[in-house]
Structures are given as C-alpha cells and as structure tokens.
Amino acid sequence: MRIGRQPGGDGAHGSSATALADRFTGPGLPSRLLRRVLAYVALTKPRVIELLLVATIPTMLLADRGTIDIRLILATLFGGWMGAASANTLNCVADADIDKVMKRTAKRPLAREAVPTSNAFVFGVVLGVGSFAWLWWQANLLSGLLVVATILFYVFVYTLGLKRRTSQNVVWGGAAGCMPALVGWSAVTGGIGWPAIALFGVIFFWTPPHTWALAMRYKEDYRAAGVPMLPVVATEQTVTRQIVIYTWLTVLTTLALVPATGVIYAAVALVAGAWFLLMAHQLYAGVRRGESVKPLRLFLQSNNYLAVVFCGLAVDSVLGWDTIGSFFS
C-alpha cells in the first residue's frame, strides 16, 4: 500500500530513521545493532506511511458510521502498515540504482549499502506475506487480497513498469496510494461500497498535484536519474496547468461524497477545497507571470489539505448525525 508521499515523491526530506541511524557511529556492538535495526526501519520509509492513518481510519469510521470498533481499526492499521512497509522496502530494492544518483535519496539504506539487497528483498516479502495473513485472520480475505494487490501493483506496475517510461507515471501509479480506502472499507463491511470508491478517487486525483509540486522542486534530480517526471519533460506552465486541473478534480470528488456524510464533512470539504484551489491557482498564475515560484509550498500544504478533509470525515462519522443524502430520500 503506497502510503504518505505518493509515487515519485517519497522521502523528499530524507528518512528520519536514516538520520537517527547516522547519529550512532560508535564502534560498540550496541551501536552497530542499533544502526542495523534503524536501517531496516528506514527501508519501510516510516515517514511516508502517514496516509495509512489519514485514509484508513476515517474510511472505517464512515463504513460503520456512528460506531467505533477500536480492535478492528488497530488490527487493520497494523496489517496495512506491514503491507505499506513491504511495498516501500521492495521499492527501495527496485530503485537502488537511481537512489544512488539522486541527491535527496542518496542516504537511503540500499543506496549507501547499509543493508544487503538480498536481505532487504527477503524482509519486504516477509512483511507482505505477514500483512496478508494478518488481515485475513483479523478482518477478512478481501482485505488481505487488496493489500497483496497493492504491493504487486506498486512494485511491478508503477516502480518497474511506469516510473522510468512515462511522464504520466504518478497518475496511474498513484492508484496504489488510494488502496487504504478500499482496505479500510472492506475490513468493516466485507465488500467495497461507492463511498470507498469516492475516497479512492479523492486520493487518486490528489496525487498528481501533490507529487508534481515536489518534482518541480527536484526536477534536476529526476533528470539525472533518467526518470521522466512531468516537470522534467514539460514546461512549468504546462505542469502547473495540470496541477490546477487535478486539484479541481480532487475537490469535486470530495464533494461527491457529501450525500453519504453530514454537515460537518460538507463544510470542511468546501472550505478546505477552496483553500487548496486557491494555492494551485496562485502557483499557476505565478508561473504565467514569469515569477519565481515555490512549488514545495503547495506540496507541503497539500498534505495538510488531505489531513483536514479526512479528519473532518472522521469527526462527522463518529458523531453519526443524519446524512445530507437522507434529506432527499
């Protein structure tokens, strides 16, 4: 399950686990063991698993509106974490060659040879098998299968298939990052309902503007590694125009969920959506005027936008007030 930073945009500021490991440089056995453990933790990209929490919990709360099943939520989060850690670790294995070239990824464990590649591969596979078994046991078979599908899609379709071949890599590859919505919904209901598909769409359309804003800042890194991210092969005006289009699609998709929610979510989606659209349009307008823009600001604020929308959904679902759709039925 692709979590947190989306395909192409993971680890913009480096891994906190990697940074922590670098502090332990003593010669003693405890220091060596700690560095090794932290290196394996860094393989999972712990800072990029935030989307697991942001997407899974509100989705599960919406699926069981008005009820909180803490045990199932925690069990699903743990299984999802293992799946995300598996996908991220196997991504590190597949991208070890370009991680050595790109400055912002040069400190990843495999790029600096802190962990043998074969060990990282086995670690990733074990995590993947564990996530499937755990979710099948604690939730249901569908949830386990969805996690496996996510891992396979992220590694084979995005990382090995799309990433180095097309500038639209994050558009289709980003589907892996949307899967927490489907996993969370299926864990509660045993199936996939239209609200889960709507939430899948929110993350799907959010991914390109989020990732392209980062890629605008680090486009020389991508160019050096031979990764044809859109900002590498297109003008800034083209990229920011696409960012505006996908931002509109994101906001409209959040509003499509309104019939299944209450007034709190509707208000949050409207206000946060207007704010997100304003930032995207400001970036586009700045590029059109030939100004020096700061795309990284949009990248960082897009995280806040998604968190605000999903937190609004969580609060709305826990309160369980009448849905807007019920007023028209």
Side-chain angles (χ1 to χ4, degrees):
M1 207 177 309
R2 178 62 179 152
I3 309 299
R5 308 289 189 269
Q6 295 300 297
D10 43 19
H13 309 290
S15 166
S16 56
T18 298
L20 184 60
D22 289 340
R23 297 180 186 178
F24 294 91
T25 56
L29 179 61
S31 293
R32 291 199 303 272
L33 289 175
L34 182 58
R35 287 200 305 272
R36 180 59 60 89
V37 169
L38 290 175
Y40 277 96
V41 172
L43 281 173
T44 69
K45 304 179 187 177
R47 290 184 62 186
V48 307
I49 304 185
E50 298 158 359
L51 189 58
L52 176 65
L53 298 174
V54 172
T56 306
I57 295 177
T59 301
M60 296 182 72
L61 294 173
L62 178 62
D64 201 12
R65 188 173 173 80
T67 303
I68 304 176
D69 187 340
I70 295 295
R71 186 208 66 80
L72 182 59
I73 290 175
L74 292 177
T76 304
L77 288 176
F78 181 67
W81 173 82
M82 284 195 292
S86 170
N88 290 334
T89 299
L90 295 174
N91 169 260
C92 284
V93 173
D95 277 352
D97 57 334
I98 61 175
D99 282 348
K100 293 179 181 179
V101 177
M102 298 174 67
K103 293 179 181 178
R104 70 181 183 84
T105 59
K107 289 188 176 182
R108 287 180 178 172
L110 295 185
R112 57 191 178 90
E113 300 181 354
V115 175
T117 302
S118 59
N119 289 13
F121 175 76
V122 172
F123 180 56
V125 171
V126 169
L127 283 170
V129 172
S131 68
F132 168 73
W134 175 266
L135 286 171
W136 188 4
W137 175 39
Q138 292 292 319
N140 51 59
L141 178 59
L142 178 59
S143 297
L145 291 174
L146 285 171
V147 166
V148 172
T150 303
I151 297 170
L152 295 176
F153 184 91
Y154 181 59
V155 174
F156 290 99
V157 177
Y158 169 68
T159 304
L160 297 177
L162 298 173
K163 185 173 182 177
R164 309 189 196 197
R165 289 181 173 84
T166 172
S167 62
Q168 297 298 302
N169 45 22
V170 301
V171 175
W172 303 110
C178 312
M179 294 301 285
L182 301 187
V183 173
W185 189 277
S186 68
V188 174
T189 68
I192 299 176
W194 76 263
I197 295 174
L199 288 168
F200 180 100
V202 170
I203 304 172
F204 181 83
F205 291 125
W206 169 86
T207 298
H210 168 77
T211 308
W212 287 334
L214 174 70
M216 288 178 67
R217 170 66 177 79
Y218 291 100
K219 64 181 179 182
E220 294 307 321
D221 251 9
Y222 287 108
R223 180 177 285 114
V227 179
M229 297 292 287
L230 187 63
V232 173
V233 301
T235 65
E236 284 194 341
Q237 187 165 331
T238 297
V239 175
T240 51
R241 185 187 303 117
Q242 290 294 308
I243 285 176
V244 167
I245 292 171
Y246 277 95
T247 300
W248 270 101
L249 290 172
T250 302
V251 174
L252 291 174
T253 308
T254 65
L255 298 179
L257 190 64
V258 165
T261 64
V263 294
I264 293 178
Y265 171 79
V268 170
L270 280 170
V271 174
W275 171 55
F276 193 27
L277 284 168
L278 177 62
M279 288 191 298
H281 279 278
Q282 285 178 337
L283 181 64
Y284 177 51
V287 168
R288 289 191 64 185
R289 290 193 297 264
E291 298 173 356
S292 178
V293 296
K294 297 180 178 180
L296 202 58
R297 177 175 175 269
L298 178 64
F299 166 77
L300 295 172
Q301 293 302 323
S302 66
N303 284 325
N304 295 334
Y305 163 77
L306 198 67
V308 166
V309 169
F310 276 83
C311 284
L313 177 62
V315 172
D316 187 278
S317 300
V318 169
L319 292 176
W321 295 349
D322 289 342
T323 64
I324 292 177
S326 67
F327 292 110
F328 300 95
S329 60

